[in-house]
Amino acid sequence: MDSLVSTEWLLQHLGEPDLVVVDSSWFMPSSGRSGRDEYLAAHIPGARFLDIDELSDRSNPAPHMLPSAAAFAAAMERLGIGSDDRIVVYDNSPTRTAARGWFMFRHFGAGRVAILDGGLQKWRAEARPTESGEPVPRQARFAAAERDEVVTKQQLLTGLELPWVDARGRPRFEGAEPDPRPGVAAGHAPAARNLPFGSLYRDDGTFRPVEELRRLFADAGIDPSRPFVASCGSGVTANSLIFAAHLIGNDDTKLYDGSWSEWGADPATPKVLGPA
């Protein structure tokens, strides 16, 4: 299974015993939309729902930080998702949260994980089948083992020698717009470059071709074949940059999970306004 699968591929393989489809849709609180409610109303047949906000480290003040490996494994077993399954993640969100789901599964030890190119948006546009309600129960075992691919604020402050790319939109990155979260400053970290996650996608929600992805990284001053740290507002859209690098052939990337929600809320961290 490739890391990026088409709607046609999924339709052909839907229902195979080791294939699990996962809806990881999440929406900004200001949108008034609920990923879980929309999942219950209509989802790809057999899909499970991964709530990336609920399944998080609630002891951390930053939003939807990664949970412990044990908590993730237990949640996946309750959902009927095994670490040896072929897992296809999709979303129906403008923030392209399938990339966060893909990152979480790989981070905690799943070996075969893909994103559905275009997500539910494309699936429904092609009049493919959906169903509503809760999924049929499924037995599964998830053996969790964390990958070393997450960096902390302290590591960045003490001089992690990696390029830093921020996936937020340009107005928020430059500080022309205030941060939507109370108590979080505007702007960006002095070392960061900007590559808005939305530029990686076409209008139909599918990823741009690899050569276009390379050009977008290069235009942002980042070599996508070399290690880098990705961040965003709250550790979600940065995963689109990490997945794009994966498509290019680079799996030596890092996520700053706290992202600007943590960095911007700390009065002691350096911040600048304007373009990089």
Side-chain angles (χ1 to χ4, degrees):
M1 181 176 70
D2 293 334
S3 296
L4 188 64
V5 300
S6 68
T7 51
E8 181 61 33
W9 183 95
L10 182 58
L11 185 66
Q12 291 173 359
H13 294 272
L14 207 59
E16 292 178 358
D18 69 331
L19 183 75
V20 183
V21 183
V22 178
D23 183 331
S24 66
S25 299
W26 176 83
F27 302 96
M28 292 290 289
S30 59
S31 71
R33 296 175 68 182
S34 161
R36 184 179 295 279
D37 288 350
E38 293 190 13
Y39 161 82
L40 290 172
H43 55 261
I44 293 174
R48 271 69 184 142
F49 182 68
L50 169 61
D51 189 329
I52 64 175
D53 196 40
E54 180 181 303
L55 183 55
S56 62
D57 179 3
R58 294 304 183 90
S59 68
N60 194 305
H64 36 248
M65 295 285 283
L66 288 168
S68 68
F72 186 83
M76 293 309 99
E77 290 179 358
R78 288 194 297 272
L79 287 174
I81 304 170
S83 50
D84 291 333
D85 286 326
R86 290 181 297 159
I87 301 167
V88 177
V89 190
Y90 73 87
D91 68 60
N92 191 35
S93 171
T95 47
R96 310 301 181 196
T97 50
R100 175 66 172 188
W102 171 86
F103 180 90
M104 291 177 75
F105 278 112
R106 280 177 35 105
H107 178 71
F108 289 114
R112 297 183 294 172
V113 191
I115 287 177
L116 177 63
D117 205 15
L120 190 64
Q121 169 189 346
K122 190 169 188 289
W123 183 268
R124 298 186 78 170
E126 296 166 348
R128 303 193 187 276
T130 60
E131 64 182 16
S132 60
E134 296 287 354
V136 175
R138 181 177 186 270
Q139 294 295 313
R141 181 176 181 274
F142 200 100
E146 281 192 81
R147 293 160 57 109
D148 180 17
E149 57 186 352
V150 175
V151 300
T152 66
K153 178 179 69 174
Q154 192 57 38
Q155 286 175 297
L156 291 166
L157 285 169
T158 53
L160 190 68
E161 296 299 323
L162 289 177
W164 182 347
V165 56
D166 187 321
R168 292 176 298 156
R170 192 165 301 281
R172 282 180 61 195
F173 176 84
E174 295 183 354
E177 289 181 359
D179 194 273
R181 294 178 175 85
V184 178
H188 60 271
R193 307 300 293 264
N194 186 217
L195 176 52
F197 78 94
S199 65
L200 307 176
Y201 297 87
R202 300 184 182 101
D203 290 344
D204 66 355
T206 58
F207 272 89
R208 296 189 181 279
V210 165
E211 286 311 310
E212 288 188 35
L213 297 176
R214 289 184 190 275
R215 177 182 56 77
L216 289 165
F217 274 99
D219 290 349
I222 299 292
D223 182 349
S225 67
R226 303 288 297 168
F228 64 80
V229 174
S231 71
C232 55
S234 62
V236 174
T237 60
N239 295 284
S240 286
L241 303 184
I242 290 173
F243 185 77
H246 170 77
L247 292 178
I248 291 168
N250 177 14
D251 278 325
D252 197 10
T253 51
K254 304 285 187 183
L255 172 68
Y256 173 29
D257 200 30
S259 283
W260 194 252
S261 294
E262 180 180 61
W263 190 274
D266 185 348
T269 54
K271 306 168 188 70
V272 293
L273 301 175

